Every structure is written in structure tokens, then in C-alpha cells.
Amino acid sequence: MARITLFGNRESGHTYKVRMLLTMAGIGHDYTEINLKQPREQRPEPFRSLAKFGEVPLLVMDGQPYVQSNAILLHLAEHAGCFGGESPERLARMREWLFWEANRIGFSLPNFRYGRRFVAGGLDPAVEAFLRARFDADIARLEHELADGRAFIVDDQPTIADLALSAYMYWSEQALVQLPPGVTAWLVRIAELPGWCHPDAMATQ
Ligand SMILES: N[C@@H](CCC(=O)N[C@@H](CS)C(=O)NCC(=O)O)C(=O)O
């Protein structure tokens, strides 16, 4: 069995999506909380040396570091052969959504939430308007995609694409955004899967 440690932060949806996969797929691991208020050069080892871009999440598997949340998800799904990692066809469909997520909803929503939750005085209005327009377009795209009645984003079974796309949406009230009905119903289906846990309920150790 592989020895796995995840380094993350409880306010990070990028960490949360990886934690969800580890938990829901029953992949044994240790978790280490990284204090992101600490300057990067003061963060503890081995995180400082192994996190190539200085960010959470960092996954260390049998001594090998893996960074970038969606790359970590792909690595784990292929390793465990689950959540879309079962076949090249599902992997291909999932990969498309993961790349879309990183550039679209995984950019607009986390930054929108960050501005509203963590930036004193809020974001510059022009930045806020830019992110708002992007978020509105991204959420409309997802709502349209789910309108054909399939249960999850690739097909009727959950994949890591669902975990990646949905992660920050469980904090939508912190971003002060409304989610449309199709997306809301899909979030409920994900939350009903065995092992799922809300990001605020995740332990820090
Ligand atoms: N593209 C990266 C984004 C990761 C990211 O933005 N991490 C943030 C927390 S959500 C972070 O570590 N920020 C602290 C810092 O940059 O020092 C991924 O998907 O893993």
C-alpha cells in the first residue's frame, strides 16, 4: 500500500477536492495543515522544499511530490482506478472538464469568494465586475450542461471532475452568489455520495 500524505489548508477548496477524493475512495492517508498566513519561506519542511509552486495542496506519495489539485486528482484516480480512472474513455472526458475548471469556474468562483471573505474593503470594483461576469458565464455553462438530466458531469457515475467543479460551490454563500436549480440538484447528488463531507466539517488533522 502506498504511503500518502496530503498537505493542505482548511480554507482551500483546492485542498478540499483532493481530500474528498482520498476520503470517498477510501485511500488511506495522513493530513498536515499548512498555515497560509505564514510567509512561504517560513512554512515547515518538507512542505517548503516539495511544494514546487509554494501552494497547497501538495500530495506526497511514497516520497514523490505531486502538486496542482487537478493533476493530483488525475494521478490518484488513475492509481486507484476509480472516480473516472477506470477507462481511457472516461479519463478523456474527465480531463476536458478538469482543464475547463482550472481556467473557468475554478478561477472565477474562488477569487470571487476570496475577495468577499478575505480582502478588507472588498475587491476593486472593476476586478469584482470582471469576476462576476466570468462566474455568471461559467455557472450558466454548467447549468446548460446538466440540463439533459444526467446525474453527474461526465455520465451517471461521479468522477473527479465532479469533485473539482463542485468544491468551491459548497462555499457559495461566502462568495454571496446564487446557484441555479440544476447545479444545486447536482451538488445535492454529490453530497449524498458515501464519504462526502462539507468543507467546513473537515478536520484540520
Ligand atoms: N492551481 C493550483 C491553485 C492552488 C492555490 O491557489 N492554492 C492556494 C490556496 S487555495 C495557496 O496555496 N495559497 C497560498 C499561497 O499562495 O501562499 C491548484 O489547483 O492546486
Side-chain angles (χ1 to χ4, degrees):
M1 204 166 67
R3 172 122 181 89
I4 295 176
T5 303
L6 177 67
F7 295 82
N9 181 274
R10 63 174 301 137
E11 292 287 354
S12 159
H14 295 89
T15 298
Y16 169 63
K17 51 172 128 153
V18 176
R19 285 191 91 179
M20 272 300 87
L21 177 62
L22 289 166
T23 306
M24 292 166 82
I27 301 172
H29 64 283
D30 295 323
Y31 176 74
T32 299
E33 178 82 1
I34 297 296
N35 177 5
L36 297 180
K37 293 190 179 123
Q38 251 182 338
R40 287 188 176 190
E41 64 283 2
Q42 288 173 25
R43 291 179 191 165
E45 291 289 5
F47 177 80
R48 192 147 40 100
S49 304
L50 296 181
K52 189 184 293 180
F53 304 113
E55 300 171 329
V56 294
L58 159 72
L59 184 102
V60 182
M61 185 163 165
D62 290 335
Q64 188 69 29
Y66 297 86
V67 296
Q68 294 293 307
S69 56
N70 289 354
I72 297 171
L73 288 177
L74 275 167
H75 172 72
L76 288 171
E78 286 191 85
H79 170 80
C82 63
F83 279 84
E86 306 87 353
S87 71
E89 293 74 25
R90 296 190 89 217
L91 267 169
R93 295 286 77 78
M94 225 162 60
R95 226 180 265 123
E96 294 169 354
W97 278 109
L98 292 173
F99 278 75
W100 184 84
E101 189 269 352
N103 181 50
R104 297 297 320 195
I105 196 89
F107 172 82
S108 56
L109 183 54
N111 282 306
F112 210 52
R113 168 191 179 241
Y114 183 80
R116 294 199 154 169
R117 182 163 166 79
F118 298 110
V119 177
L123 293 171
D124 178 285
V127 174
E128 169 113 359
F130 168 76
L131 290 171
R132 176 85 226 187
R134 261 183 99 106
F135 170 77
D136 287 347
D138 297 345
I139 207 72
R141 182 68 187 84
L142 273 179
E143 182 73 0
H144 173 77
E145 191 67 33
L146 291 162
D148 68 2
R150 66 185 183 273
F152 297 101
I153 202 69
V154 168
D155 51 30
D156 279 334
Q157 294 300 320
T159 66
I160 52 172
D162 296 287
L163 302 184
L165 290 161
S166 65
Y168 279 90
M169 289 187 206
Y170 293 106
W171 278 320
S172 58
E173 80 290 348
Q174 294 180 8
L176 307 177
V177 293
Q178 297 288 322
L179 300 175
V183 167
T184 303
W186 163 74
L187 290 176
V188 170
R189 288 193 288 279
I190 296 171
E192 285 171 350
L193 293 169
W196 183 88
C197 169
H198 190 277
D200 290 337
M202 304 255 18
T204 52
Q205 293 305 321

